[in-house]
Amino acid sequence: MQRVAVLTEPDHVVLEDREVPEPGPGQVQVHVRAVSVCGSDVHYYDHGRIGGFVMHAPLVLGHETSGVVSAVGPGVTAPAVGTRVAVEPQAECGRCAQCRQGRYHLCPDIAFFATPPVDGSFAEYVVVPAHRAHPVPDALSDEAAALIEPLSVALHAAAKADIGPGSRVLVSGAGPVGLLCLQVALARGASAVVVTDVMALRREAAAEYGATATVDANDHETGLAAVGRTLGQADVVLECTGVQPAIDLAVAATAPAATVVLVGTGATVTLPLDVVQARELVVKGTFRYAHVYPAAIDLAASGRIRLDDMVTSHHPLEDAVGALLAARRDPMALKAVVHPSRS
């Protein structure tokens, strides 16, 4: 038997004993060592839903996961038992049009950890397709290996934006994904990366992670003028908040022919069509990631991305709620990590 933290309804998590899942053909069992909390986990805890993804039954949260391969199913030759891995938390059908064209993250039948009705990794053991258990080097801690998942989000967004040497980048929002987008933009050669946020402490964090400048986004006109002074006009916007005022500021700060990538998830928002058309902006949505885990692991192992520094608290499985509430209790909290296998 194993212990599992289960969200039975909003604001209510219980520990349960469940059978340890056994790997089937092409699968591996992973003994979970670290699970970092994502904003989506917090949304499900608070509201039981994110947009059209709605809980209709108890749900195990957690999808930013690392661990050690503890068993393999029939036909699996790698990774071997004992291999430390970062878990890419999705299993696609492999047959649909999106999968055949390489966009497996858009598979209509994808099973993604902690997205109803698929359970996540607030558990001692999980089972995943073998090709979604990516070996990690000893240079990466268990916590950093769990953070390969949000780093993959940032890498996917930066690739969508085609950030390269000389790019002038505006990152909207200095939460964990925004700070990872900042670091990835710098790693890809951006000449300047300006980060906006409404919270002074978040802006201080962005400066610590290498932002060329930070801008107070509380007032549109003042913020826009500050972006202009520090960046000029943005060639790329990575919008990581999903909040209307932040989107308004980010779009207003663009250069002609700029690319705006919408990374943050939010409610329905509007875009200024006159600005989009007059500047011929390219507006792109982004959803999770595909084909980036190996690159994310290599980048993190190179030391160019600071992942361990983003971990601000550690929690046993019994304190999963404490991990989910960490950001609410501490405005400087970035990544709370749950360790299911620790007592």
Side-chain angles (χ1 to χ4, degrees), residues 126-321:
V126 295
V127 165
V128 297
H131 64 287
R132 297 291 176 232
H134 299 271
V136 296
D138 291 339
L140 293 184
S141 67
D142 292 334
E143 294 80 8
L147 286 171
I148 293 300
E149 200 278 343
L151 177 58
S152 294
V153 171
L155 274 177
H156 185 65
K160 283 275 190 180
D162 197 25
I163 295 172
S167 295
R168 298 171 299 172
V169 180
L170 177 64
V171 176
S172 179
V177 170
L179 294 177
L180 288 169
C181 284
L182 157 66
Q183 295 184 74
V184 169
L186 292 171
R188 289 178 65 106
S191 60
V193 184
V194 171
V195 180
T196 69
D197 203 281
V198 296
M199 295 177 59
L201 291 174
R202 292 291 193 187
R203 296 195 298 274
E204 291 173 11
E208 173 64 23
Y209 280 90
T212 308
T214 65
V215 169
D216 185 344
N218 278 290
D219 179 78
H220 180 91
E221 293 303 327
T222 302
L224 184 59
V227 172
R229 290 193 300 271
T230 56
L231 188 67
Q233 292 180 308
D235 303 309
V236 170
V237 168
L238 300 177
E239 207 300 303
C240 301
T241 71
V243 176
Q244 187 69 60
I247 293 171
D248 291 341
L249 174 58
V251 172
T254 53
T259 298
V260 178
V261 180
L262 302 176
V263 186
T265 300
T268 301
V269 297
T270 61
L271 291 174
L273 190 59
D274 57 336
V275 176
V276 172
Q277 290 183 320
R279 299 182 189 176
E280 288 200 348
L281 302 182
V282 178
V283 180
K284 297 183 177 182
T286 184
F287 185 66
R288 297 172 181 160
Y289 42 78
H291 307 293
V292 295
Y293 251 67
I297 291 168
D298 288 345
L299 183 59
S302 76
R304 300 176 72 185
I305 305 293
R306 293 163 53 187
L307 295 179
D308 286 303
D309 290 351
M310 296 185 70
V311 178
T312 47
S313 63
H314 299 267
H315 306 260
L317 191 63
E318 294 85 350
D319 190 35
V321 171

Side-chain angles (χ1 to χ4, degrees), residues 47-89:
H47 309 293
R49 66 181 300 157
I50 300 176
F53 298 106
V54 182
M55 277 181 59
H56 295 293
L59 181 69
V60 178
L61 297 175
H63 63 267
E64 301 178 1
T65 312
S66 71
V68 178
V69 175
S70 46
V72 301
V76 174
T77 58
V81 170
T83 303
R84 297 177 60 241
V85 294
V87 174
E88 184 174 349

